[in-house]
Amino acid sequence: MKIIERLFGHYKGESVKEYTLYNDSGMSVSCLNYGCIISKIMVPDRNGNVENIVLGFEDFNAYLKWSPYFGAIVGRVAGRIKGASFNLDGKKYSLAANDNHNHLHGGKEGLSSVIWKTEKMEEENAIGLKFFYHSSDGEEGYPGNLDVTVSYLLTNDNELKITYEGKTDKKTLVNLTNHSYFNLSGNLKRDCLEHSLQLETDFFLELSPDFTPTGRLLDAKNTPFDFKQGRKLKDGIHSSHPQNVLVGQGYDHPLVFANDGEHTMVLREEESGRTLLVTTDQPCVVLYSGNQLEGPFSISDVPARKYLGVCLETQVFPDAINHPDFPSIILEREELYYSTTKYRFLFDK
Ligand code: G6D
């Protein structure tokens, strides 16, 4: 097990470093101190071909110019906040409206686009990095000085464990996630239409035309949102269901897990034989099928196109602060924000 670091670029006078974690089982994870971006995950397929299974760039400037949050930690609040404002204890807070009139993924300079301090972690069967960031009171419009710690720990069981921690000196909002786009075909050989997803979900959140939740839970049973028996993503991409059509033919929806506690979902691509198990303590996962992944740029030499990657953004419901009946994303002073999500990579022999 080892960590290799290299200079990847510069941002606002600071060095951007890429750290690559190698375990003893043939897997590696590369990440940046900018946005805690996961830039590469190298995993064998059934024939032993070690290939990259996430969307990322080889060049830092491409991240600045084109990246739709590839691999990044997003927050203070992941997802949209309607009207880019919220009320807390009778005070109205206004945030950056960086997605039409809504606030998206922490604002113009959210946690995905700042430099984090890093510290290496070594354990008996795991190697990793801890990232630290102090978000000042009022940053992006949020109240309270928030100290955030994110750790990436790669084990010899080919599991990447992400742990999120936060402490504030004043009541604020926190709802963090990782925005990696997965493509299990390896080196973007294919898109994700033939990827299958299985998870225990009875309901999903209905989206309004601006992609914020209406507040209604819709029954997933016998719809393209029913993943209990496993389903290929192409079902939702080719679907005439109004919610699949609304988001540009696909998914961009919070899927609500069926019960409390830990939840596991299974993403699989038959041709490569790769499987990704995602286990989280969060109450929902935003399934985003890359419907807007178009643009005049290439991703690791593959021209950008819809559905080239799929995001499994484990989190609390989007816009929760504006929906009292949603789980809370309020972090009280001196309370510890703590969340974990684990990505375990398997491949058929
Ligand atoms: C689009 O609506 C989607 C978001 O869910 C996604 O996170 C973003 O693109 C990258 O705005």
Side-chain angles (χ1 to χ4, degrees):
M1 308 193 84
K2 62 183 176 185
I3 299 179
I4 292 179
E5 72 178 74
R6 70 179 176 114
L7 184 64
F8 195 73
H10 292 89
Y11 183 70
K12 293 187 177 177
E14 293 195 73
S15 296
V16 175
K17 299 255 183 88
E18 182 186 68
Y19 302 84
T20 301
L21 312 174
Y22 294 89
N23 70 6
D24 296 333
S25 310
M27 179 179 162
S28 68
V29 175
S30 299
C31 45
L32 310 180
N33 61 337
Y34 174 82
C36 309
I37 287 174
I38 295 174
S39 51
K40 201 175 286 180
I41 299 181
M42 301 297 284
V43 174
D45 68 2
R46 62 158 51 91
N47 302 316
N49 302 311
V50 179
E51 298 169 316
N52 179 35
I53 54 97
V54 290
L55 274 57
F57 294 114
E58 291 298 330
D59 169 73
F60 181 60
N61 290 323
Y63 276 104
L64 295 178
K65 190 168 184 182
W66 302 116
S67 179
Y69 305 93
F70 282 170
I73 293 298
V74 292
R76 292 193 192 186
V77 174
R80 288 171 174 83
I81 292 180
K82 196 172 188 72
S85 68
F86 62 91
N87 282 291
L88 201 55
D89 293 343
K91 182 179 177 185
K92 179 177 179 182
Y93 291 87
S94 296
L95 306 171
N98 59 317
D99 183 65
N100 299 317
H101 55 284
N102 298 320
H103 176 81
L104 176 66
H105 291 339
K108 293 180 178 149
E109 288 259 327
L111 300 180
S112 53
S113 49
V114 295
I115 296 283
W116 294 61
K117 288 186 174 54
T118 58
E119 202 175 271
K120 294 173 182 172
M121 297 161 66
E122 291 198 42
E123 297 182 5
E124 191 178 345
N125 272 310
I127 193 140
L129 281 168
K130 255 189 200 292
F131 299 89
F132 306 87
Y133 182 71
H134 173 82
S135 176
S136 301
D137 184 17
E139 195 168 309
E140 289 302 315
Y142 291 99
N145 289 292
L146 177 71
D147 287 303
V148 191
T149 305
V150 172
S151 67
Y152 293 160
L153 195 64
L154 175 64
T155 74
N156 275 331
D157 292 333
N158 283 355
E159 179 175 87
L160 177 65
K161 179 177 180 183
I162 302 183
T163 304
Y164 305 86
E165 294 177 288
K167 286 293 275 288
T168 183
D169 61 0
K170 185 178 165 191
K171 187 183 283 192
T172 190
L173 309 184
V174 186
N175 183 17
L176 306 177
T177 194
N178 179 272
H179 205 293
S180 289
Y181 291 66
F182 297 100
N183 181 323
L184 301 181
S185 68
N187 296 344
L188 311 188
K189 290 197 293 293
R190 295 174 288 278
D191 61 27
C192 292
L193 274 70
E194 293 298 327
H195 281 42
S196 65
L197 178 67
Q198 189 279 330
L199 73 149
E200 292 298 316
T201 179
D202 296 317
F203 300 98
F204 66 101
L205 292 186
E206 179 186 53
L207 298 183
S208 49
D210 69 357
F211 293 15
T212 57
T214 62
R216 281 195 337 145
L217 282 173
L218 299 182
D219 190 344
K221 195 166 178 56
N222 301 326
T223 77
F225 295 85
D226 184 351
F227 290 94
K228 279 191 168 178
Q229 306 309 319
R231 173 182 297 280
K232 289 195 174 176
L233 297 179
K234 67 181 177 184
D235 292 356
I237 287 162
H238 299 318
S239 151
S240 60
H241 188 293
Q243 286 288 306
N244 292 125
V245 173
L246 171 72
V247 297
Q249 287 310 135
Y251 298 95
D252 199 346
H253 294 80
L255 309 180
V256 179
F257 291 115
N259 43 43
D260 293 336
E262 270 204 336
H263 314 284
T264 294
M265 60 201 110
V266 184
L267 183 71
R268 178 171 168 67
E269 201 234 18
E270 187 57 41
E271 190 159 347
S272 65
R274 291 191 178 100
T275 297
L276 167 60
L277 299 179
V278 181
T279 303
T280 185
D281 59 5
Q282 295 298 285
C284 96
V285 57
V286 171
L287 172 62
Y288 173 51
S289 50
N291 320 320
Q292 299 179 31
L293 253 182
E294 294 168 306
F297 61 93
S298 290
I299 307 161
S300 307
D301 299 327
V302 175
R305 69 181 195 269
K306 292 177 85 163
Y307 317 126
L308 208 47
V310 55
C311 301
L312 300 170
E313 304 162 49
T314 55
Q315 60 191 250
V316 182
F317 302 4
D319 202 26
I321 189 60
N322 289 319
H323 291 270
D325 53 337
F326 285 3
S328 172
I329 59 167
I330 293 171
L331 183 68
E332 298 287 350
R333 182 176 175 278
E334 295 311 316
E335 181 188 352
L336 175 65
Y337 171 86
Y338 183 84
S339 167
T340 63
T341 292
K342 295 178 276 193
Y343 300 97
R344 178 105 190 276
F345 297 91
L346 308 169
F347 44 91
D348 301 346
K349 296 295 181 197

